[in-house]
Amino acid sequence: METKKPIETLAAEVIEALKQMNYAYNTVCGIRASFSRICAFARKRNVRYFSEDLGQEYLREKYGCTTNYYLEPFPRKAKQAIRSIRLLGDYQLHGIVIRRIVKRKGYVKPPQFEEILTAYEKECETNEYSMRGMRGRLQRLFFFVDYLELRNVIKVDDITPDIISNYVISICPKHEKSIASILTTLRVFLRFLYLHGFTERDLSLAVPKPTRYRYPAVPSTWEPTEVKRMLDAIDRGSPRGKRDMPFFFLLRSWACGLATSKL
């Protein structure tokens, strides 16, 4: 089992990886300064190694937030710190710097995957996907291809369920809102590779299917007057009330439609 590296060593390796990936000089300097603050925080607590708990504790104490930015607001000044914590965690877990999913024009396909990606693009055209839908699929797929290249995967036959699992682990905390579409794109691509003989086994079966949470249906036993009383009870001046207002507007529309149907 590989021994953990001290947080200072881990931070130095991340900085070197960022340089090799041609990150902007100012970006590297900003992250280096952020790492220095995190390392100083660890030294004060006599903590030698980085951990997710240490990162969360640092963010809570210094910025009053965590990395769960989908579940809670965070101050703008914490953005660099959150990014730094993610970089350290990703590098410690995967040994690479994982790029964020961003839309990029003029994507250059890695030579080892160019033929397969071109074949997949033609498959999408044959299936008459819309230009917008095809563009979205390819953007999500290119991020997975970049991950494979960072893991030194030379050909698609080298993809394993473990690599797929580690990829999913790396993106889940950062892309909760779009994780379902990302995994669907990956599953379809891997099935394409198997059906067209590029891989010997169907790796699409290794892609997890995330649970989708939906609001429960409005009970049909509620009367319009009951719905109105619920709406009137909402404190629209509170942050929680403002957050929940879109749902209550839908509820009101449903109540109005039900009242009309009973006339």
Side-chain angles (χ1 to χ4, degrees), residues 11 106-107 199 237 261:
Y107 178 80
T199 57
S261 67

Side-chain angles (χ1 to χ4, degrees), residues 6-259:
I7 187 170
E8 288 85 359
T9 302
L10 185 67
E13 290 187 3
V14 174
I15 291 297
E16 188 60 32
L18 293 174
K19 291 179 180 178
Q20 293 178 4
M21 296 171 71
N22 296 320
Y23 272 68
Y25 174 78
N26 289 340
T27 299
V28 174
C29 288
I31 293 175
R32 182 188 289 112
S34 182
F35 282 170
S36 295
R37 291 189 287 270
I38 296 170
C39 290
F41 180 85
R43 286 194 297 270
K44 286 182 179 179
R45 283 154 180 74
N46 295 318
V47 176
R48 189 180 181 191
Y49 304 105
F50 175 80
S51 67
E52 292 298 329
D53 288 341
L54 175 69
Q56 298 292 353
E57 183 182 351
Y58 173 78
L59 292 174
R60 279 194 296 269
E61 180 170 320
K62 299 295 184 180
Y63 301 96
C65 68
T66 69
T67 56
N68 297 322
Y69 66 96
Y70 281 122
L71 303 178
E72 58 187 35
F74 65 88
R76 182 172 297 182
K77 63 182 180 180
K79 185 176 181 180
Q80 180 78 284
I82 292 174
R83 172 64 173 153
S84 300
I85 294 298
R86 289 199 185 117
L87 283 170
L88 292 171
D90 286 343
Y91 199 88
Q92 181 171 258
L93 183 62
H94 304 285
I96 58 175
V97 172
I98 300 174
R99 292 185 183 274
R100 290 172 288 182
I101 295 180
V102 294
K103 294 182 178 180
R104 287 182 287 166
K105 294 182 179 180
Y107 178 80
V108 178
K109 306 180 185 72
Q112 67 269 35
F113 300 120
E114 184 173 4
E115 179 184 353
I116 290 173
L117 290 174
T118 300
Y120 182 67
E121 288 179 359
K122 291 181 179 179
E123 177 76 2
C124 291
E125 293 174 357
T126 301
N127 292 333
E128 298 183 350
Y129 292 136
S130 68
M131 289 299 297
R132 182 177 180 181
M134 180 175 170
R135 188 163 53 246
R137 284 172 178 264
L138 293 176
Q139 286 284 355
R140 292 188 289 268
L141 181 58
F142 291 158
F143 185 74
F144 176 66
V145 172
D146 285 345
Y147 179 83
L148 295 178
E149 189 174 25
L150 289 170
R151 293 292 301 270
N152 297 317
V153 174
I154 304 301
K155 54 185 183 298
V156 290
D157 270 334
D158 294 335
I159 302 174
T160 65
D162 284 342
I163 288 178
I164 295 172
S165 177
N166 289 334
Y167 169 70
V168 174
I169 291 172
S170 73
I171 64 174
C172 277
K174 309 177 187 64
H175 305 285
E176 295 177 26
K177 291 184 178 179
S178 56
I179 189 65
S181 57
I182 293 172
L183 295 185
T184 297
T185 296
L186 178 57
R187 191 177 297 110
V188 171
F189 175 67
L190 294 174
R191 176 61 63 86
F192 163 81
L193 296 180
Y194 174 67
L195 293 178
H196 288 77
F198 292 109
T199 57
E200 296 181 357
R201 53 178 172 169
D202 187 359
L203 291 168
S204 68
L205 300 176
V207 180
K209 296 181 180 180
T211 302
R212 297 185 179 183
Y213 297 95
R214 297 182 174 87
Y215 288 113
V218 179
S220 60
T221 56
W222 286 354
E223 294 294 329
T225 54
E226 294 174 321
V227 175
K228 185 177 184 304
R229 284 198 299 271
M230 292 174 59
L231 293 173
D232 292 340
I234 302 302
D235 181 8
R236 302 184 186 184
S238 68
R240 179 176 294 181
K242 292 178 181 178
R243 180 198 65 188
D244 295 339
M245 279 311 297
F247 169 73
F248 292 119
F249 279 131
L250 291 174
L251 194 60
R252 174 185 289 178
S253 300
W254 172 83
C256 291
L258 183 60

